[in-house]
Amino acid sequence: MATITVARVYQQSFQAHPNTTLAFTGGTLNALGDLVAQRTQNAENEDPHPYDYARTFRFFCYGFTISPLIGRWNSFLEHRFPLRSILNPSQSNSKALAKRVAYDQLVVAPLGLAAFLGSMGIMEGRSASQTVERFRDLYKPALLANWGVWPLVQFCNFSVIPLAYRVPFQAMCGVFWTVYLSVINSKYVALSVLVISDDKPCSSEDAKQDRSISNSN
């Protein structure tokens, strides 16, 4: 009963304010993914760090920004590759479904991952060279991992889930993907701090900043 009520409220909100609804839904579920990631990392760590609220807020901001764009992309795919023809609405078009998934994974997935790495670098206050270095190290393995998981998710999403619920469905499945992105992103930050501290002596102020970054992950 509660699930039906939530779905009804979401549907009404989506019909009245689609972009705002998608933004807050995507941002909240993205933040949930980072929360799970931090709890998981601390559970596996003998010396757990304090919870990093700023990191979770960064994930919320990314989800808040990207989700309305994903909603528009889903609408484009819905109209560009209809699954049912006007002449035979009972028959599903498997070729159109395959095209939806292919376009999504070959166009939006690479762009979305690049946007994630770039936006995280900006929100963390990193320089352009540091962001480019992170991109070189993380982009390819993360994209390959994406292609190992998301085509099947999107196949189900595009074929079964109504248009209004596709972004929330992606975001719910994406909680686990966000855990993965959050973990690799935080591990890269921690590794960068170690490399900096090993390569050159640092002042007391630099050491304080490095400890702050390390503790945030």
Side-chain angles (χ1 to χ4, degrees), residues 133 191-202 210:
E133 183 180 358
L191 180 60
S192 299
V193 171
L194 290 175
V195 170
I196 291 172
S197 62
D198 287 343
D199 285 350
K200 63 178 183 179
C202 58
D210 289 347

Side-chain angles (χ1 to χ4, degrees), residues 156-213:
C156 298
N157 193 21
F158 293 144
S159 61
V160 178
I161 307 299
L163 179 61
Y165 294 91
R166 285 179 190 163
V167 171
F169 176 80
Q170 284 178 250
M172 290 177 65
C173 296
V175 167
F176 302 99
W177 178 246
T178 301
V179 170
Y180 169 76
L181 291 178
S182 183
V183 169
I184 66 169
N185 185 67
S186 64
K187 285 184 176 180
Y188 183 85
V189 172
L191 180 60
S192 299
V193 171
L194 290 175
V195 170
I196 291 172
S197 62
D198 287 343
D199 285 350
K200 63 178 183 179
C202 58
S203 65
S204 59
E205 188 64 30
D206 291 337
K208 184 186 298 183
Q209 183 178 5
D210 289 347
R211 283 197 301 273
S212 175
I213 297 174

Side-chain angles (χ1 to χ4, degrees), residues 23 26 38 50 92 151 214:
Q38 291 198 51
S92 179
S214 180

Side-chain angles (χ1 to χ4, degrees), residues 105 142-155 173 176-177 180:
Q105 290 302 298
L143 183 60
L144 293 176
N146 172 93
W147 284 337
V149 174
W150 279 99
L152 179 59
V153 173
Q154 294 296 65
F155 179 87
C173 296
F176 302 99
W177 178 246
Y180 169 76

Side-chain angles (χ1 to χ4, degrees), residues 19 41 93 110 123 132 158:
N19 289 331
Q41 288 176 285
N93 188 338
M123 287 188 286
V132 170
F158 293 144

Side-chain angles (χ1 to χ4, degrees), residues 44-147:
E44 298 174 351
N45 196 340
E46 295 180 357
D47 183 24
H49 300 301
Y51 189 86
D52 188 351
Y53 291 95
R55 174 174 136 180
T56 300
F57 182 69
R58 289 194 291 268
F59 272 81
F60 173 85
C61 290
Y62 175 75
F64 185 92
T65 304
I66 201 72
S67 294
L69 301 178
I70 295 176
R72 291 178 178 273
W73 171 249
N74 287 339
S75 296
F76 166 77
L77 293 178
E78 181 79 6
H79 295 94
R80 180 67 179 81
F81 305 111
L83 297 186
R84 289 173 175 81
S85 66
I86 299 177
L87 298 178
N88 192 0
S90 63
Q91 184 177 1
S92 179
N93 188 338
S94 57
K95 289 185 179 180
L97 178 58
K99 288 179 180 179
R100 285 188 186 186
V101 176
Y103 269 71
D104 183 75
Q105 290 302 298
L106 295 177
V107 177
V108 168
L111 292 176
L113 182 57
F116 169 78
L117 293 174
S119 63
M120 285 297 156
I122 292 172
M123 287 188 286
E124 290 168 0
R126 299 192 168 272
S127 66
S129 60
Q130 289 174 320
T131 301
V132 170
E133 183 180 358
R134 173 188 288 183
F135 187 91
R136 284 199 302 263
D137 291 340
L138 298 183
Y139 184 79
K140 183 176 179 180
L143 183 60
L144 293 176
N146 172 93
W147 284 337

